[in-house]
Amino acid sequence: MALLGPVAATAAHAPDSDGGHASVNAGDVTVGILAPRGEAHTLAQWQATLDALDDAIPRITLTARAMTLDGIAAAVAQGEVDFVLTNPGQFVLLGTPYALSWLATLRSNPANSARAALGSVLWVRAESPYRRAEQLTGRRIVAVHERAFGGYLLMRPELQAAGVDSDGIAVDFLGYPVDALVYQLRDGQAEAAIMPVCMLEQMVSEGLVRRDDFRALATDEPLGGCVSSTPAYPDWTFAALPHVSEALTGDVARRLLAMDGEDTARWGAPVSAARVATLFDDLALHPLGEPLSTRLMDALQRYWHYSVAALVLLAMALMYHAWLQRKARRHGRALEATQLALRERERELADAQSLNVSGELATTLAHELNQPLAAIRHYAEGSVLRLQREAPDSPLLEPLSRIGHEADRGAGIIDQARQWIRRDAPAPERLPLHGLLDHVRALAQPRLKRLDVALDRSIQPDDLAVLGSRLAMEQVLGNLIGNSLDAFETADRCGWIHIDARRAADPGQVTLTIRDNAGGFSPERLARPFMPLDTTRAQGMGLGLVITRRLLQRQGGDISVGNHARGGAEITVRIPTAETSQ
């Protein structure tokens, strides 16, 4: 039988083609042994037992490896050993996740009881002042490992029962061998040491330390002739990993139970580990009770390559999803822009159709109205000539003259409409604003008087003049004043209209602002002020502002529509000034 140290390698456990381990039934077999007192002491302690086992099963060659707690856990996880010889606490921790088979329980107790063999002792120096466990709060205590079953784990419930919180004591875990704990306590480097039962007594028998130098701080029932500070738990376990064949497992179990030599260890049938599992449940250490986060981290560590692949795939999926979202947003914006452009084209088409209808209507009216207007003018002129011959003082002369003048004006407007339809620019002329507004006011005076609306004006400087077509400007101002009067008539109220004219900030422009207090435009109307055939009046056609804007644009001007704070409309007209253009 070969005896190896904790870092020795074995060639008997190469993975099979499926990634697991081939079933072991013969050949080299490795036994991982917990080594509380170091490698040499452990291998010497178990050599006779393993030799007997090796001789009893000729088809195998046993290799022993002395290991630490963490070393056995790692070896079992990686399948580097075939059997383990360890305490029942570690068997419970490893047996559930790795499906270990319990073959036999050691009977090291002199009373030959496997159920009561392991315990823990809290040692202090004989001359120390400590009499109770709670007096160690804040003092340095040494132990082997935080999961050493025959040490710190068994002592934790006793310390908690004595009122010592685990956060209130400073425990240093020194690792194997256990002998180092005794030496630090003896030399005053620690105030107490947590050790397995009978470990100090073994060192005393070996002449390493003196028994009188130490005192157990808390005592329970003696265990195997040794001092104990805790209740007793089952003895060590011999267990097989799942890749060992059932035939070899059975042979090993039978040979262990049959051992009765003086140099070999004594073994009994497996003893229930229920008390050990209950202790681990109380300490929240049982593998089945581990938090999900702990189990998840263990799984990630064991299958890290799969985890990395999954993370890479997840990252690629997230990147692809982000790319799709970005592309969808881009297409969505493009589609929205296309829809907006389509609606704008539909609106422009509707405007064009409306203007086309308006143009056809205007052309028809211009053609049909010219004849009656010409007849009216001829009748008026003939009546004036006859009255001038027969009754020069007749009061009808003035009205007949006005009828003729208005007939001429109507014909001029019709001619202007024809030019507008043909898009011919009107011939500009200098138009003093005072005279222009006087004429427009005279035309609107009957409605102003009937609706009780005051019309005033402010022109700065007094001789301010604009450049444009007289008929077009009369029609523009007439339309704007007429719109205000329509609003007063609809609202059935009286009020005022104010016209303000002055040079604009832009050189070469005159600004005319027409304000009233008739209520102003609605938000819907302000959103589309120049929409043809869009009107709020029952008898309106919705062409007044459209025609006004077109007339101004043909003369190099423009118009804007809004409301002012005093509750009425505010229309701003910009037209070239005559002084700048001359």
Side-chain angles (χ1 to χ4, degrees), residues 110 117 119 121 123 195-203 223-227:
V121 186
W123 292 103
M195 299 181 60
V197 166
C198 294
M199 194 65 65
L200 180 65
E201 286 82 356
Q202 289 181 18
M203 294 179 66
L223 186 58
C226 302
V227 178

Side-chain angles (χ1 to χ4, degrees), residues 339-392:
Q339 290 176 341
L340 290 175
L342 180 59
R343 284 197 291 269
E344 182 66 20
R345 296 296 180 273
E346 291 176 347
R347 187 183 65 80
E348 292 176 357
L349 179 60
D351 293 348
Q353 290 175 341
S354 299
L355 288 176
N356 185 45
V357 172
S358 301
E360 292 179 359
L361 178 61
T363 302
T364 301
L365 290 176
H367 181 269
E368 298 297 331
L369 289 177
N370 266 334
Q371 293 181 3
L373 284 175
I376 293 172
R377 184 182 61 189
H378 291 320
Y379 282 126
E381 289 177 352
S383 297
V384 168
L385 291 174
R386 184 173 181 176
L387 286 175
Q388 286 176 346
R389 290 194 306 268
E390 298 178 0

Side-chain angles (χ1 to χ4, degrees), residues 160-288:
Q160 293 174 358
V164 180
D165 189 357
S166 59
D167 295 333
I169 58 176
V171 180
D172 285 344
F173 300 105
L174 306 182
Y176 293 148
V178 179
D179 305 42
L181 307 180
V182 178
Y183 296 143
Q184 287 214 6
L185 178 61
R186 180 194 64 185
D187 298 339
Q189 298 178 17
E191 299 300 324
I194 301 173
M195 299 181 60
V197 166
C198 294
M199 194 65 65
L200 180 65
E201 286 82 356
Q202 289 181 18
M203 294 179 66
V204 170
S205 66
E206 295 169 2
L208 299 176
V209 292
R210 295 191 314 128
R211 175 66 178 81
D212 295 340
D213 292 341
F214 305 95
R215 170 169 49 87
L217 190 59
T219 58
D220 204 310
E221 294 292 330
L223 186 58
C226 302
V227 178
S228 177
S229 300
T230 65
Y233 285 85
D235 214 332
W236 278 35
T237 297
F238 202 107
L241 270 69
H243 63 261
V244 179
S245 68
E246 293 184 10
L248 181 56
T249 299
D251 287 345
V252 172
R254 284 190 294 271
R255 299 307 179 186
L256 289 174
L257 296 175
M259 286 184 184
D260 57 358
E262 294 182 359
D263 296 332
T264 61
R266 294 181 178 274
W267 300 90
V271 175
S272 172
R275 292 184 59 222
V276 179
T278 300
L279 174 65
F280 281 1
D281 281 338
D282 294 340
L283 298 176
L285 294 176
H286 198 285
L288 296 180

Side-chain angles (χ1 to χ4, degrees), residues 5 9 19-20 68 75-76 177 230 233 239 259 270 277 299 313 361 476 483 499 531 551:
T68 63
V76 170
T230 65
Y233 285 85
M259 286 184 184
L313 290 176
L361 178 61
V476 166
N483 285 343
I499 301 176
M531 184 66 182
L551 290 172

Side-chain angles (χ1 to χ4, degrees), residues 2 28 48 53 71 116 201 226 276 303 316 334 417 419 441 447 464 471 503 526 545 557 579:
D28 293 335
L53 190 60
E201 286 82 356
C226 302
V276 179
Y303 306 108
M316 293 176 62
Q419 292 179 2
R441 176 177 182 142
R447 292 192 68 192
L464 189 62
L471 283 176
R503 288 191 178 95
L526 281 179
L545 287 176
E579 285 77 3

